[in-house]
DNA sequence: CATATTTACGACAAGTTTATCCTAATAATT
DNA sequence: AATTATTAGGATAAACTTGTCGTAAATATG
């Protein structure tokens, strides 16, 4: 469903958020150790997320990544997916037609639009803060 | 959402079905002309769908592809996706954890399972026959 | 200012999906 | 049997995604 890049990005952001809740900046090494993703690739993805202002990064000693409490509450999974994969997941015809709308729909248009808008809604209403709280409480896990 | 292979496969099957409703076998050239997909790649996908008994193929003059009326009604989009992409779309953790279930879920597990099961249900309740009727009636289109 | 620590970034490599090409197998017609 | 029309299938190529590596830039500390 998601690309690997998205999977790694979402998990990294959640992990950073859990540590930021404890006022702790995390280094890339900590992140990949705790989410089980390849280091260099994850670093590249975090670079993109930094540019999109989803996470803040600091170079040098005592540097690393962090997310402000405010951001954590306002940023949702849809923002992360958009920053990494663009809007391709949300737009475009399910069967690949160059144009497809209710006036001239592909055979699956109506049903496809319905489930996709549910997916979009789900991603938009799932905040990083909530996900981080789940991990913090021990109810959910980031690695296995 | 779907792979290109699935997009081409679904469209090809729908087109074959519309022609089978008129008792006409179709050649690969007709198919790609009417759904706008690359010929050799589409032929390969149809080979897989033939092996899975989703479509019937005949070599030689007057050969081509056809789908029986019965099959058309019993086969749904989920069957096509399964034949091409396997069950990977339906199973597996949304964040890529090797194991993920309600006992030890990833942070997105519950919400993810919900939308995915809606997707699965949608695919399972969408028959080729219905999709072909939509195209036949002119209400929906396969190429643009 | 030198050193150590950390992210940034670009080049490259490996793997997967998508796409093409060529030949073989099958079957209908003459 | 020869010819022609068609799918089957393997080898190869191109494009995209995933992953690695090395060096540069930034910054804290002594």
């Amino acid at each position: 469903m998601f690309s690997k890049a998205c999977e790694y990005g979402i998990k990294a952001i959640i992990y950073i958020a859990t540590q930021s809740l404890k006022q702790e900046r995390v280094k890339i090494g900590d992140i990949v150790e705790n989410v089980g993703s390849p280091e260099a690739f994850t670093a590249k993805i975090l670079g993109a997320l930094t540019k999109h202002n989803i996470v803040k990064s600091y170079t040098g000693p005592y540097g690393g990544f962090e997310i402000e409490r405010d951001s954590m509450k306002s940023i949702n999974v849809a923002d992360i997916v958009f920053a990494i994969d663009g809007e391709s997941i949300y737009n475009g015809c399910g069967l690949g037609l160059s144009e497809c709308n209710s006036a001239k729909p592909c055979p699956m248009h109506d049903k496809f639009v319905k489930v996709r808008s549910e997916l979009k809604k789900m991603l938009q209403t799932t905040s990083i803060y909530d996900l981080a709280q789940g991990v913090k409480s021990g109810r959910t896990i980031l690695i296995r």
Side-chain angles (χ1 to χ4, degrees), chain A:
Chain A
M1 186 86 91
F2 297 129
S3 63
K4 282 289 168 194
C6 271
E7 289 181 6
Y8 299 155
I10 295 169
K11 287 191 288 188
I13 293 293
I14 295 173
Y15 179 71
I16 296 167
T18 63
Q19 300 311 103
S20 289
L21 285 174
K22 297 189 277 183
Q23 311 277 35
E24 283 184 17
R25 248 177 222 175
V26 285
K27 291 171 284 199
I28 185 67
D30 290 328
I31 297 171
V32 303
E33 201 176 301
N34 284 281
V35 311
S37 59
E39 179 161 327
F41 191 37
T42 305
K44 184 171 297 188
I45 295 160
L46 282 173
L49 295 174
T50 301
K51 277 194 183 165
H52 279 81
N53 294 310
I54 285 172
V55 68
K56 289 206 168 178
S57 72
Y58 302 88
T59 57
Y62 297 90
F65 296 90
E66 69 178 40
I67 302 181
E68 292 163 14
R69 230 191 165 79
D70 282 355
S71 300
M72 231 181 268
K73 290 186 180 173
S74 64
I75 291 173
N76 53 54
V77 180
D79 297 323
I80 300 176
V81 172
F82 177 81
I84 297 171
D85 280 353
E87 57 184 348
S88 55
I89 312 176
Y90 306 126
N91 302 333
C93 167
L95 295 183
L97 302 207
S98 56
E99 276 182 84
C100 176
N101 48 59
S102 51
K104 269 184 174 282
C106 81
M108 299 198 60
H109 182 78
D110 293 354
K111 295 187 173 191
F112 192 79
V113 163
K114 180 156 171 279
V115 304
R116 192 171 59 183
S117 77
E118 275 161 20
L119 168 65
K120 191 174 181 177
K121 192 172 156 191
M122 182 274 272
L123 297 178
Q124 284 175 335
T125 57
T126 303
S127 78
I128 299 310
Y129 181 79
D130 292 343
L131 297 178
Q133 289 294 350
V135 173
K136 187 185 171 191
S137 73
R139 197 182 65 76
T140 61
I141 58 176
L142 278 172
I143 189 173
R144 194 166 187 186

